[in-house]
Amino acid sequence: MSHTLFTQVTIIGGGFSGVMTAVNLARLGLPSSEITILNTLRPAGRGVAYGTRRMEHLLNVAARNMSAFPDLPDHFVNWLRSRSEFDLIRENELRERFIPRVIYGDYLRSLMHHHLPDARLVDAEAVDYANRMVLLAGGGSIEAGRVVLATGNEAPADLPGAESLQENPAWAGNPWLPWHERLPPDTESIVLLGTGLTTVDAIITLRALGWLGRIHAVSRHGWLPHAHFRGVEYPDFPPADTDLAALGLDRLAALMEDHCARLRAMGANPAIIVDKMRPHTQRIWQGFSLEQRLAFTRQHAARWNVLRHRIAPEIHAQITSAQLTGQLQVHAENIEHVEAAGARVRVHFEGGGQLEGGLVINATGPRTRFSSTRSVLLRNLLRRGLISSDDMDMGARVDGSHTVIDRDGGVSPYLLALGPLLRGTYWETIAVPELRGQALRVAETILGQKSTPAAETPVMMEYMI
Ligand SMILES: Cc1cc2nc3c(=O)[nH]c(=O)nc-3n(C[C@H](O)[C@H](O)[C@H](O)COP(=O)(O)OP(=O)(O)OC[C@H]3O[C@@H](n4cnc5c(N)ncnc54)[C@H](O)[C@@H]3O)c2cc1C
């Protein structure tokens, strides 16, 4: 494309966040012909999470909590009824199901088709924004009154030594690009760097493909995600007279430890406390000082994440089975560097140990240092001072209406942002239960409408099944 287009609103990023911002704009009255969605690498609507083609990849949130709309909580479950494979499933059971992520992508695509019949979908990478023009890789531009940054999660940061492995078939630097087309023979090992949700995806795929070799998973603590579970009633937390956001980190951590111990003594899972924190986490994070935020990420974040990002019980059962049969071995190690070793890649640990794999996959989690982003667009916007890093350097700085704050502290007249880019502002800003409220709020800001209670409530759910 080399000509200039004009739209009222241009949304950069066509994952859940970008598409649902567009859908909400249309719901609130903006003609969809005034909207452009720019997206690269995969079909708009699916994004990284729902762009998988593999049916064994399940949502890690139960269907009842995956509505794309904060004001229509049963929307996804009702939509599932349009598909024949769910016809015979009772309502209660369907609500608790963990649905294949590819079907959730179908849901988002169907919302696009319904609400955005005249929107312009452009398959191109945005690389800059200047003089009210979004500039595209390979030429072309879009003049836009407002621009929404919905660029999502970045691929994991490179590990030391990885720069020399970019063309090496035994190295997969981006776990979300198709690596399963170049599996080594079963006599080899596969090494997964990271033990989070992406590593779980990879193990499930290897099993679905019938790959029988040895799998190693490595992370600092060696903690795999826990399973969702059916919780007990526990009305004692948060205590009725306590404002969790006013406690500060140390008193909050002590209160949580105390209630975890009480739950353990009752024979119940202490992760119930993490679930009960969810509606409060954004407010608590925003109440923390910078020192408290830094201390939280150093001392508590790893444990928080493993209790918070849980997986479907049937997926957990497969991971446990892989461990019991000896196919999967988990290692608690700090990775020092990676290097080529003949047809394999060798991973060195700080303690002196090492592992080799016929395929080594970097699943260490999305890059979080915003100032070292690899996105050409975000680098250019930072260089121009049109966006700025938040205090934690985890993402872009925004105000309460999701409008971007520039380098000089000014409120941008053009740019808004949502999704994982706001990690430093909200901490919890990655899953649908948070993002659906953000998408509505961004649409309301653009159209100058008053925020609805639905958009103000970031999380309205229990994670227990
Ligand atoms: C493997 C995985 C599984 C997950 N499972 C769940 C789940 O079960 N439930 C849940 O609630 N959440 C889940 N999540 C969290 C998930 O990230 C969010 O639910 C949501 O999909 C994030 O959407 P997004 O639009 O913000 O980002 P993304 O999905 O990352 O989409 C961003 C899009 O923007 C495009 N883009 C980026 N930069 C540019 C540019 N410069 N120009 C043009 N296009 C650009 C990217 O190519 C991408 O398509 C999962 C995440 C992952 C990675």
Side-chain angles (χ1 to χ4, degrees), residues 13 15-17 39-40 42 48 50 59-60 124 126 151-153 420 430-432:
F16 178 92
S17 300
N39 191 54
T40 51
R42 48 189 73 80
V48 173
Y50 317 116
L59 292 175
N60 50 42
T151 51
N153 284 309
I430 24 177
V432 163

Side-chain angles (χ1 to χ4, degrees), residues 316-339:
H316 191 264
Q318 286 198 54
I319 301 293
T320 306
S321 156
Q323 278 186 290
L324 290 175
T325 59
Q327 185 186 24
L328 170 63
Q329 284 185 9
V330 179
H331 308 258
E333 297 280 0
N334 284 330
I335 298 157
E336 188 194 59
H337 73 278
V338 289
E339 64 176 1

Side-chain angles (χ1 to χ4, degrees), residues 12-18 38-42 46-50 58-61 66 101 124-127 150-153 176 198 201 375 377 418-420 430-433 435 463:
I12 304 178
F16 178 92
S17 300
L38 273 170
N39 191 54
T40 51
L41 297 177
R42 48 189 73 80
R46 298 188 185 275
V48 173
Y50 317 116
L58 303 185
L59 292 175
N60 50 42
V61 178
M66 284 297 287
R101 294 209 302 266
E125 183 188 358
V127 290
T151 51
N153 284 309
W176 301 314
T198 302
D201 265 8
S375 157
L377 171 72
L418 77 162
I430 24 177
V432 163
L435 301 183
Y463 254 50

